[in-house]
Amino acid sequence: MKLVYLDNAATTAIDAEVEKFMQKCQLGLYGNASSIHKKGREAKEELEKARKVIAKSIGAKEKEIIFTSGGTEANNFAVKGVAFANKGKGRRIITTKIEHECVLNSCRWLEEQGWKVTYLGVDGKGFVSGKELEKAIRKDTVLVSIIHGNNEIGVIQDLKELHEICKRHDVLFHTDACQSYTKAELKAEWADLITLNAHKIHGPKGVGALYIKERVKISPWQHGGGHERGMRSGTENLAGIAGFAKAVELAVDDKEGKKRMAKLRDCLISELLKIPRTTLNGPRGERRLCNNANVSFAGVEGEGIVAALDAKGVCASTGSACASRSLEPSHVLIALENNPERAHGSVRFTLSRYSTKEEVKYAAKCAGEVVEKLRKISPLESERER
Amino acid sequence: MYVDKVLKRFQKPKFAGELKGADAIGEVGNVRCGDIMRIYIKVKAGKIADIRFKTYGCVAAIVSSDYLCEMVKGKTLEEAEKITAQDVVKKIGEIPLVKVHCSVLAQDALKKAIGEYRKKKQI
Ligand SMILES: Cc1ncc(COP(=O)(O)O)c(C=O)c1O
C-alpha cells in the first residue's frame, strides 16, 4: 500500500539534501563554536553562515536571530522573556484564543505568577480584529502575541496591521510564524519578535529561532555560559542549525512551491466539499496557508476518520496533534464557532512541496468512503435521515 | 496511540448498525462530549437474542461498543447487567487511559436499553 502523507503541519519529512548536509556537519564540524581553536572556528563559521541565511529570509540583521531548540522554546522565551523584562512597565499581555499550546500555556503560567492575560476571540473565519486588539490594550500592556499562520485552520493574520496598532500604543508585538515561514510572506519589520522553526519545512526537529528586533527588552530564559549573545545559553546544535538553514534555502529557492501548493490545496478543498454536509474551516484564498485544508464532517468524529484514513494509507490529523491526547475538542475550532459537532468532526490535511495531485485526489476519495461508512453507524445521522 | 487489535476491530466491527424490530433501545451521551452511544436489543426468553449499536465517537468508543455487544449476546438480562466497564476494557486489552471512560458509556447505554425493555414488559 502506498503512503500518502498529508500531515505536514505536524511535521515534515526531512529533505535528503538537508540530511546529507547535516551528516557532513555532524562528522566534520564537531568543534564547539565558542572555542578559539581551528575546530571551534570552523563550527562558528558555519553557525554564522546559517544565521545569515535565516536573517536574510525575513529581512533581519544577523544579530537579531537567536537559535533555539524549536518553536516551543522560542515561543516560551518570547512570551516569558518579554513579560519578565518589562514587568516594571506592567503585567498585562494580550494574545488570542487560537494560539498554539506553547503560547497559551506560557500565558497561563504567567497568569499563575500574577500577570493578567486577555485572550482575543476571532471571527467565523478565524481572523483577529484590529479594533478589538486596540480596545484591549491598556497602559500596563507590555506584549501582544498573535500567531501568523494558524496550525489548525490555516488562517493568516494581517501582521502589518496588528503591528501598527501595537506600535501606536508602544506595546511589543510577537508572532508565532512556525507554520507560515517560507509559505507566506513574512517580514521582520512586521513584528518585534518572530518565532521560526525547522521541522515544518523539511528541516530537522528540535531546531528553531527567535527573531528579536534590536533594542527589544527581553530577559534570557535559559541561563548558562552566555551563548547566543547571552540570550540563550547552551552549546549550539550546529548540525541542526546548519540543516535548518539548508532547509530554508531550499524552500526559498523553490519559487513556484507556494503557488503549486495553493493550487493543490484548492483542488483538495473542492474535492472534500463534494462530500455531503462538509464545511470548510478557515478562510479561502490568499489569507489561508497554501498547504492547509481543514474541514468538518457532520455526524462523525474526527479521530475515527483519521484512524480509518490511516488504514487506507492516508496520514491526516484531527486539528492538532496534541488534541488527540486529550478529550477536549480543538480550542481553535471552538473559537471559530461554539459548535461541538463541528469541532469534533474536524479533520486537517496539510500538504508539502512534494505533494502531488494524485495524492490529493486519493485522500479526498478515501475521506468520502470513510465518512460514509462512519455515518452509517452514527446515531446522529440516523436521526437526520428520519 | 491504539494497538493493532483495537484498530482492526474498529475497521471491522461485528455489531455495528441498526437492529430492525428491536424490543428496546438505550441511548446515552451528547455531542458536547463527543460521544453518543445507542444500543438496540432483541430479547427472547429473558436472554439477549440479538444486539446492535450505533456510536458517534472516537475509535475507543466504537470498539468498546462492539466488544460489549459481543460479550452480552446470548446472556440473560441479569447477566448482561452485571458486566462492568472494567470487564469490557479487559476484553479489549490495551486502551489509552484517557479513553477508558468511553467504555463506561457503552455499558450505560445497554443498561438503559434493558431498563426500557423492562418498563415496556412491566417486569
Ligand atoms: C504554530 C506552531 N507553533 C509552535 C510549534 C512548536 O514547535 P516545535 O515543535 O518546534 O517546538 C508548532 C508545531 O509543533 C506550531 O505549529
Side-chain angles (χ1 to χ4, degrees):
Chain A
M1 187 175 62
K2 68 172 179 195
L3 190 99
V4 175
Y5 186 78
L6 294 180
D7 198 13
N8 290 283
T11 194
T12 56
I14 195 158
D15 195 296
E17 206 174 319
V18 171
E19 158 65 17
K20 221 171 86 191
F21 185 59
M22 283 176 68
Q23 211 167 43
K24 207 180 97 194
C25 294
Q26 196 82 276
L27 290 170
L29 304 179
Y30 54 80
N32 186 323
S34 307
S35 305
I36 57 169
H37 49 61
K38 182 171 158 51
K39 288 318 282 182
R41 290 198 307 276
E42 276 175 13
K44 176 83 177 164
E45 194 180 322
E46 195 59 49
L47 177 66
E48 294 314 316
K49 231 161 70 190
R51 201 184 307 279
K52 202 168 184 168
V53 171
I54 310 292
K56 189 168 161 235
S57 71
I58 57 168
K61 294 178 187 150
E62 283 145 53
K63 62 177 178 191
E64 294 175 320
I65 302 295
I66 301 296
F67 288 112
T68 68
S69 67
T72 300
E73 186 195 322
N75 279 336
N76 271 264
F77 178 21
V79 172
K80 297 174 188 170
V82 167
F84 271 74
N86 296 278
K87 64 181 178 199
K89 182 187 166 193
R91 287 189 172 218
R92 194 178 293 273
I93 292 170
I94 299 170
T95 186
T96 77
K97 290 185 178 161
I98 62 165
E99 298 301 311
H100 189 271
E101 284 81 359
C102 53
V103 167
L104 285 178
N105 287 332
S106 293
C107 288
R108 287 188 193 122
W109 182 82
L110 282 170
E111 282 182 289
E112 286 168 20
Q113 316 302 316
W115 270 263
K116 293 272 181 286
V117 181
T118 306
Y119 300 89
L120 297 174
V122 293
D123 69 13
K125 297 283 181 221
F127 291 109
V128 174
S129 139
K131 271 200 196 105
E132 271 182 43
L133 168 63
E134 188 146 29
K135 260 198 295 193
I137 295 176
R138 304 267 182 285
K139 260 204 194 73
D140 57 349
T141 304
V142 295
L143 177 70
V144 171
S145 178
I146 296 178
I147 188 167
H148 187 208
N150 185 269
N151 47 309
E152 293 194 37
I153 54 171
V155 58
I156 299 175
Q157 306 298 335
D158 186 346
L159 294 185
K160 220 162 128 184
E161 180 204 353
L162 300 170
H163 186 217
E164 283 304 321
I165 294 165
C166 292
K167 276 201 284 196
R168 272 209 298 282
H169 295 273
D170 197 23
V171 177
L172 292 172
F173 181 59
H174 165 249
T175 190
D176 173 359
C178 287
Q179 293 289 342
S180 59
Y181 188 37
T182 73
K183 294 195 192 81
E185 200 183 7
L186 175 66
K187 291 186 179 163
E189 64 193 55
W190 292 348
D192 298 300
L193 304 107
I194 304 177
T195 292
L196 307 172
N197 74 354
H199 74 92
K200 313 286 186 191
I201 54 169
H202 306 284
K205 291 155 187 51
V207 188
L210 182 64
Y211 156 76
I212 308 172
K213 201 189 286 303
E214 251 185 313
R215 287 193 285 279
V216 159
K217 259 176 86 178
I218 182 166
S219 49
W221 202 244
Q222 185 159 310
H223 303 94
H227 308 73
E228 297 294 292
R229 315 181 65 245
M231 278 297 152
R232 198 272 187 187
S233 288
T235 302
E236 292 87 354
N237 169 13
L238 187 75
I241 290 168
F244 182 13
K246 181 59 102 189
V248 171
E249 281 179 335
L250 292 173
V252 172
D253 282 351
D254 185 4
K255 293 217 167 51
E256 295 300 309
K258 277 182 255 182
K259 252 190 244 159
R260 223 171 41 237
M261 277 190 270
K263 229 169 124 183
L264 272 187
R265 169 201 67 191
D266 292 341
C267 166
L268 176 56
I269 289 175
S270 78
E271 289 294 315
L272 289 169
L273 291 179
K274 284 182 191 158
I275 300 167
R277 296 192 306 292
T278 301
T279 351
L280 178 67
N281 297 313
R284 285 176 184 269
E286 296 274 292
R287 300 289 302 275
R288 181 180 197 104
L289 286 171
C290 60
N291 72 331
N292 174 295
N294 184 318
V295 293
S296 290
F297 302 108
V300 283
E301 207 261 354
E303 188 193 271
I305 298 167
V306 169
L309 281 172
D310 181 40
K312 291 176 183 285
V314 177
C315 303
S317 88
T318 52
S320 152
C322 305
S324 53
R325 257 177 269 132
S326 76
L327 298 168
E328 291 300 310
S330 148
H331 65 277
V332 176
L333 269 296
I334 290 292
L336 273 193
E337 183 192 4
N338 190 7
N339 176 342
E341 189 179 345
R342 183 174 175 188
H344 283 294
S346 82
V347 178
R348 178 187 74 177
F349 301 86
T350 42
L351 313 170
S352 83
R353 295 209 301 280
Y354 306 113
S355 301
T356 65
K357 185 145 186 175
E358 193 196 351
E359 288 180 323
V360 158
K361 291 240 167 178
Y362 177 71
K365 179 178 105 27
C366 292
E369 292 165 4
V370 160
V371 167
E372 194 186 326
K373 184 178 162 201
L374 287 171
R375 277 180 178 161
K376 281 211 180 98
I377 65 164
S378 165
L380 279 174
E381 284 299 296
S382 36
E383 248 139 59
R384 278 174 193 138
E385 279 156 23
R386 264 175 214 144
Chain B
M1 174 147 168
Y2 294 108
V3 297
D4 272 357
K5 180 185 161 198
V6 173
L7 289 170
K8 277 211 184 97
R9 187 72 177 225
F10 166 72
Q11 283 296 321
K12 282 201 168 58
K14 296 178 185 166
F15 294 88
E18 200 164 319
L19 185 58
K20 294 259 152 53
D23 293 314
I25 300 172
E27 183 175 308
V28 295
N30 61 59
V31 187
R32 254 209 71 75
C33 305
D35 288 300
I36 302 175
M37 302 207 185
R38 182 186 295 168
I39 300 260
Y40 305 79
I41 52 171
K42 261 190 200 169
V43 183
K44 265 198 199 118
K47 285 183 178 166
I48 297 181
D50 209 352
I51 182 163
R52 291 282 185 284
F53 75 90
K54 277 198 169 189
T55 292
Y56 163 81
C58 64
V59 172
I62 290 171
V63 171
S64 44
S65 308
D66 201 45
Y67 272 111
L68 177 72
C69 290
E70 181 174 282
M71 288 165 82
V72 301
K73 191 174 170 183
K75 296 239 158 52
T76 65
L77 297 183
E78 290 71 27
E79 287 166 340
E81 275 176 319
K82 278 197 199 116
I83 288 175
T84 64
Q86 279 94 319
D87 296 332
V88 178
V89 171
K90 226 188 262 163
K91 175 96 181 172
I92 298 173
E94 268 178 70
I95 193 169
L97 210 56
V98 290
K99 301 286 189 178
V100 167
H101 87 287
C102 307
S103 42
V104 181
L105 273 183
Q107 180 62 12
D108 287 348
L110 174 66
K111 278 194 187 134
K112 225 167 155 179
I114 293 174
E116 157 112 3
Y117 175 79
R118 288 199 175 117
K119 213 161 77 196
K120 265 192 192 162
K121 301 281 166 187
Q122 302 194 326
I123 48 174

